[in-house]
Short mmCIF file of all heavy atoms in Angstrom, two decimals:
data_model
loop_
_atom_site.label_atom_id
_atom_site.label_comp_id
_atom_site.label_asym_id
_atom_site.label_seq_id
_atom_site.Cartn_x
_atom_site.Cartn_y
_atom_site.Cartn_z
N SER A 554 1.64 -7.87 6.55
CA SER A 554 1.03 -8.11 7.84
C SER A 554 0.79 -9.61 8.01
O SER A 554 0.27 -10.26 7.10
CB SER A 554 -0.30 -7.38 7.93
OG SER A 554 -1.06 -7.83 9.02
N PRO A 555 1.17 -10.17 9.15
CA PRO A 555 0.97 -11.61 9.34
C PRO A 555 -0.49 -12.04 9.17
O PRO A 555 -0.75 -13.14 8.67
CB PRO A 555 1.45 -11.83 10.79
CG PRO A 555 2.44 -10.75 11.01
CD PRO A 555 1.90 -9.56 10.26
N SER A 556 -1.41 -11.18 9.55
CA SER A 556 -2.82 -11.54 9.47
C SER A 556 -3.35 -11.56 8.04
O SER A 556 -4.39 -12.16 7.76
CB SER A 556 -3.66 -10.59 10.31
OG SER A 556 -3.59 -9.27 9.80
N LEU A 557 -2.65 -10.91 7.13
CA LEU A 557 -3.10 -10.83 5.74
C LEU A 557 -2.13 -11.48 4.77
O LEU A 557 -2.40 -11.53 3.56
CB LEU A 557 -3.29 -9.36 5.34
CG LEU A 557 -4.37 -8.59 6.08
CD1 LEU A 557 -4.28 -7.11 5.73
CD2 LEU A 557 -5.75 -9.11 5.71
N LYS A 558 -1.04 -11.99 5.27
CA LYS A 558 0.05 -12.45 4.41
C LYS A 558 -0.39 -13.50 3.39
O LYS A 558 0.05 -13.48 2.23
CB LYS A 558 1.18 -13.03 5.27
CG LYS A 558 2.41 -13.43 4.50
CD LYS A 558 3.52 -13.88 5.42
CE LYS A 558 4.77 -14.24 4.64
NZ LYS A 558 5.87 -14.68 5.53
N SER A 559 -1.28 -14.39 3.81
CA SER A 559 -1.68 -15.48 2.91
C SER A 559 -2.53 -14.99 1.74
O SER A 559 -2.68 -15.70 0.74
CB SER A 559 -2.45 -16.55 3.69
OG SER A 559 -3.66 -16.02 4.20
N ARG A 560 -3.08 -13.78 1.86
CA ARG A 560 -4.00 -13.27 0.82
C ARG A 560 -3.46 -12.04 0.10
O ARG A 560 -4.12 -11.53 -0.80
CB ARG A 560 -5.35 -12.91 1.44
CG ARG A 560 -6.06 -14.04 2.12
CD ARG A 560 -7.53 -13.68 2.36
NE ARG A 560 -7.71 -12.64 3.34
CZ ARG A 560 -8.48 -11.57 3.15
NH1 ARG A 560 -9.11 -11.39 2.01
NH2 ARG A 560 -8.63 -10.68 4.12
N THR A 561 -2.29 -11.55 0.49
CA THR A 561 -1.82 -10.26 -0.01
C THR A 561 -0.57 -10.39 -0.86
O THR A 561 0.33 -11.19 -0.56
CB THR A 561 -1.51 -9.33 1.19
OG1 THR A 561 -2.65 -9.26 2.04
CG2 THR A 561 -1.15 -7.93 0.71
N SER A 562 -0.52 -9.59 -1.90
CA SER A 562 0.67 -9.50 -2.73
C SER A 562 0.86 -8.05 -3.17
O SER A 562 -0.10 -7.39 -3.57
CB SER A 562 0.54 -10.40 -3.96
OG SER A 562 1.67 -10.27 -4.79
N ILE A 563 2.07 -7.56 -3.03
CA ILE A 563 2.41 -6.21 -3.49
C ILE A 563 3.47 -6.32 -4.57
O ILE A 563 4.43 -7.09 -4.44
CB ILE A 563 2.91 -5.34 -2.33
CG1 ILE A 563 1.80 -5.19 -1.27
CG2 ILE A 563 3.33 -3.96 -2.83
CD1 ILE A 563 2.24 -4.43 -0.03
N SER A 564 3.29 -5.57 -5.62
CA SER A 564 4.24 -5.58 -6.74
C SER A 564 4.44 -4.14 -7.21
O SER A 564 3.82 -3.21 -6.70
CB SER A 564 3.70 -6.46 -7.86
OG SER A 564 2.46 -5.98 -8.33
N ARG A 565 5.30 -3.97 -8.21
CA ARG A 565 5.55 -2.63 -8.71
C ARG A 565 5.85 -2.66 -10.20
O ARG A 565 6.25 -3.68 -10.75
CB ARG A 565 6.70 -1.98 -7.96
CG ARG A 565 8.05 -2.67 -8.20
CD ARG A 565 9.15 -1.99 -7.44
NE ARG A 565 10.46 -2.57 -7.75
CZ ARG A 565 11.60 -2.09 -7.31
NH1 ARG A 565 11.63 -1.00 -6.54
NH2 ARG A 565 12.74 -2.67 -7.65
N ASP A 566 5.63 -1.50 -10.83
CA ASP A 566 6.02 -1.27 -12.22
C ASP A 566 6.88 -0.01 -12.21
O ASP A 566 6.36 1.10 -12.15
CB ASP A 566 4.77 -1.09 -13.08
CG ASP A 566 5.10 -0.97 -14.55
OD1 ASP A 566 6.23 -0.57 -14.89
OD2 ASP A 566 4.21 -1.25 -15.38
N THR A 567 8.18 -0.21 -12.23
CA THR A 567 9.07 0.94 -12.12
C THR A 567 9.01 1.84 -13.34
O THR A 567 9.27 3.04 -13.23
CB THR A 567 10.51 0.47 -11.89
OG1 THR A 567 10.91 -0.38 -12.96
CG2 THR A 567 10.64 -0.28 -10.57
N SER A 568 8.63 1.30 -14.49
CA SER A 568 8.55 2.12 -15.70
C SER A 568 7.41 3.13 -15.60
O SER A 568 7.45 4.18 -16.25
CB SER A 568 8.37 1.23 -16.92
OG SER A 568 7.11 0.60 -16.92
N LYS A 569 6.41 2.80 -14.79
CA LYS A 569 5.26 3.70 -14.61
C LYS A 569 5.28 4.38 -13.25
O LYS A 569 4.38 5.17 -12.94
CB LYS A 569 3.95 2.93 -14.77
CG LYS A 569 3.74 2.33 -16.15
CD LYS A 569 2.42 1.59 -16.22
CE LYS A 569 2.20 1.00 -17.60
NZ LYS A 569 0.92 0.24 -17.66
N ASN A 570 6.29 4.06 -12.45
CA ASN A 570 6.38 4.59 -11.08
C ASN A 570 5.11 4.28 -10.29
O ASN A 570 4.52 5.17 -9.63
CB ASN A 570 6.66 6.09 -11.08
CG ASN A 570 7.56 6.50 -9.92
OD1 ASN A 570 8.52 5.81 -9.58
ND2 ASN A 570 7.27 7.64 -9.32
N GLN A 571 4.71 3.03 -10.36
CA GLN A 571 3.49 2.57 -9.68
C GLN A 571 3.80 1.34 -8.83
O GLN A 571 4.69 0.56 -9.14
CB GLN A 571 2.42 2.18 -10.70
CG GLN A 571 1.91 3.31 -11.55
CD GLN A 571 0.94 2.82 -12.62
OE1 GLN A 571 1.01 1.68 -13.08
NE2 GLN A 571 0.03 3.70 -13.04
#
Side-chain angles (χ1 to χ4, degrees):
S554 166
S556 64
L557 295 171
K558 185 176 182 179
S559 64
R560 300 195 291 131
T561 306
S562 178
I563 298 175
S564 60
R565 66 180 185 174
D566 185 336
T567 57
S568 67
K569 297 180 180 179
N570 215 40
Q571 296 174 332

